[in-house]
Amino acid sequence: MAKAPRLFGTNGIRGVAGKEIDSVIAFRVGSALGTLFPKHRVLIGRDGRLSSRMLLEGVAAGLLARGNHVEDLGLITTPALEFLVRKASSSAGVMVTASHNPPEYNGFKVVDSDGIEIDRAKEEKMELLIHRVQLPATYSPGQRTSREGEIRSYLHEVEKHVVHKDRVRDLKIVIDTGNGVAAQTTPTLLRDLGARVISVNDVIDGDFPGRNSEPRPENLGALSRTVREEKADLGIAHDGDGDRAIFVDERGEVQPGDRTLALIEDELLRTHPGAKVVTPINTSMVVSEVASKRRGKLILTKVGSIEVSRTVVKVSALLGGEENGGIFYAPHHPVRDGTIAAVLVVNAIVETGRSLSKLLDELPKFYMVKEKIPCKEGAKDAAIKALKARLLGRISSSLDGVRVDLEGRGWVLVRASGTEPLLRLYAEAKTEKQVQEILNEFRPLVLAAV
Ligand code: MG
């Protein structure tokens, strides 16, 4: 028998719905989880994709057959489900979502009893249990209850982290939820606080008719335009399951995720000197510069939200963040949460009384280039190994791929993509010219290794 393909990638299980991800897999995920968390209550929820309801039913059936009690949260964001799992004791969770992937995709994020995605060791156990089909041993199926509307208690907790609530009403904010489930969270929260909120693409629709679900600059033209036309203070864009947030300043400029992270870091370290900040190895130097300036302690991890979440917990960090717009705020819950990111940026604006562009312009400036180098799925590890051999003696870190720090100039990182057949090449320097020089030197080495 051929070896079954690995299901878990960088962020849970993902694939094309109906092909790689079908109701049979959903049932097996539910059944495997029930075996891993016997007698636990399991909270399940879904994003707005057309296949999500069908997959949710499969997961529920697998869990119920194992005797687990299932609480169905219905349409919900990933961070809200994760928070609610931690809040309900002795529980686990499954979120049916493919995050920012195209409409035809779907998948599962499996959440441990602490409200964070399961670690790699538990993923391994789940892999085995999913592939080793065992008929449910129980004839006392669990019960299922519907808990739709629980998102309110999540929002209530998020609201506690808003400082100067009275000043939020002075803000005009455009929010583009990209037809995703975050339409239920950030706009509601900010409206309730009295801000003037203008919504873009706020109808939850699994076809994502408004824009590509990934909050990248090329997908956020309508948001930028609306911010400018409405003379708003800022714009916020979320991905399909609401765990990421990208910001647009009052001039309509889309800001890179790591600059927003640095802004939040700067504000938090000002009031929490010596606090720890966790970020993956591909994040801009602006984050390390702010950490040194504010005497914070920066801890680098592999790329992936699970790595950041688990490290935030392990080292008792205050904040975690990723260049893709992921913000992890430990005082709320150490997972990637787009709504808490919105709260922290709004806090920075109202506390300082300055515009978002001013706040961001004050941060040190760097130039980063990211390139994709095609590389077959089975050849990625060998290519990284070959590259390591070529760069021997110059490698600064092998935490995730190969990183070379170039004294006084910048850095370069090559790593295997966890989700696509390609290598990712990152380079960053103080000037555009320097970054091109770095690329000219390292790109041929990567191509040769592939
Ligand atoms: Mg997401």
Side-chain angles (χ1 to χ4, degrees), residues 99-100 109 239 241 243-244 336:
S99 186
H100 60 273
K109 285 184 183 174
D239 72 331
D241 65 333
D243 60 352
R244 283 162 58 181
R336 188 151 78 179

Side-chain angles (χ1 to χ4, degrees), residues 223-264:
L223 176 62
S224 292
R225 216 165 35 244
T226 311
V227 166
R228 278 195 302 268
E229 282 168 7
E230 296 285 343
K231 297 194 169 32
D233 296 288
L234 73 154
I236 305 169
H238 291 300
D239 72 331
D241 65 333
D243 60 352
R244 283 162 58 181
I246 288 291
F247 295 83
V248 170
D249 67 29
E250 80 285 358
R251 299 168 304 191
E253 272 181 44
V254 181
Q255 293 288 340
D258 30 26
R259 292 192 71 75
T260 310
L261 165 60
L263 167 65
I264 293 170

Side-chain angles (χ1 to χ4, degrees), residues 27 48 53-54 71 91 94 117 133-134 191 243 262 279 324 332 344 353 361 363 385 425 429 440:
F27 179 88
R53 191 188 288 272
M54 176 268 288
E71 296 184 7
S91 65
V94 180
E117 279 181 76
V133 193
Q134 287 176 320
R191 257 188 205 117
D243 60 352
T279 197
N324 61 13
H332 169 63
L344 294 172
D361 282 348
L363 298 169
K385 217 175 146 193
L425 168 64
N440 291 342

Side-chain angles (χ1 to χ4, degrees), residues 204-218:
I204 299 172
D205 186 332
D207 281 324
F208 301 121
R211 64 161 164 91
N212 180 305
S213 181
E214 186 159 24
R216 295 181 53 79
E218 60 268 32

